[in-house]
Amino acid sequence: VQLQASGGGLVQAGGSLKLSCAASGGTIGNFGMGWFRQAPGKEREFVAHISASGGSTSYADFVKGRFTISRDRAENTVSLQMNSLQPEDTAVYYCAVLRYGTRWNARTRIESYTIWGQGTQVTVSS
């Protein structure tokens, strides 16, 4: 499976973007998926997770109420709707496949993810 993230760009503070992660070469339908981000000079950090069924989602505290993760099993994609963007949201955003069998409480850990997309740049101006 290969992941292709898209939808990043430059937006003013308060604006919105929708990121998409398209999978090819196989289905991601049986796997939990996550979004992470990495700002310049900082470590990669967890943003959001969605279960394989799509029935459970979780978010980092700093995006709760602003970002929404979703998936389309038919299209083999995962999306991240980002609203009320702030300059501190500026980062490269990555989608990733959760390793099968990962415990629920490990879903926020980078090492729990096995396949990563190339990332898409999000820049929020003040």
Side-chain angles (χ1 to χ4, degrees):
V1 173
Q2 293 183 321
L3 303 177
Q4 179 75 36
S6 62
L10 174 64
V11 64
Q12 288 187 332
S16 298
L17 283 173
K18 186 173 184 177
L19 305 184
S20 182
C21 176
S24 61
T27 180
I28 56 173
N30 295 325
F31 297 90
M33 296 291 295
W35 283 97
F36 287 74
R37 70 185 187 185
Q38 187 166 19
K42 295 188 177 181
E43 295 185 350
R44 193 170 298 189
E45 61 182 354
F46 170 78
V47 174
H49 161 270
I50 188 166
S51 63
S53 68
S56 297
T57 58
S58 56
Y59 300 90
D61 287 344
F62 53 78
V63 303
K64 281 182 180 177
R66 300 189 298 127
F67 291 10
T68 303
I69 188 172
S70 60
R71 67 189 305 160
D72 186 326
R73 297 172 68 86
E75 294 293 325
N76 213 24
T77 60
V78 176
S79 298
L80 185 69
Q81 177 67 47
M82 306 186 296
N83 299 327
S84 301
L85 285 163
Q86 298 302 315
E88 52 266 34
D89 295 317
T90 294
V92 178
Y93 284 72
Y94 299 89
C95 57
V97 179
L98 185 66
R99 196 181 310 274
Y100 190 81
T102 297
R103 295 173 300 164
W104 178 254
N105 61 1
R107 69 197 182 283
T108 64
R109 300 176 187 171
I110 292 173
E111 60 267 27
S112 297
Y113 291 79
T114 182
I115 300 173
W116 292 81
Q118 87 291 357
T120 185
Q121 176 70 48
V122 172
T123 302
V124 185
S125 63
S126 57

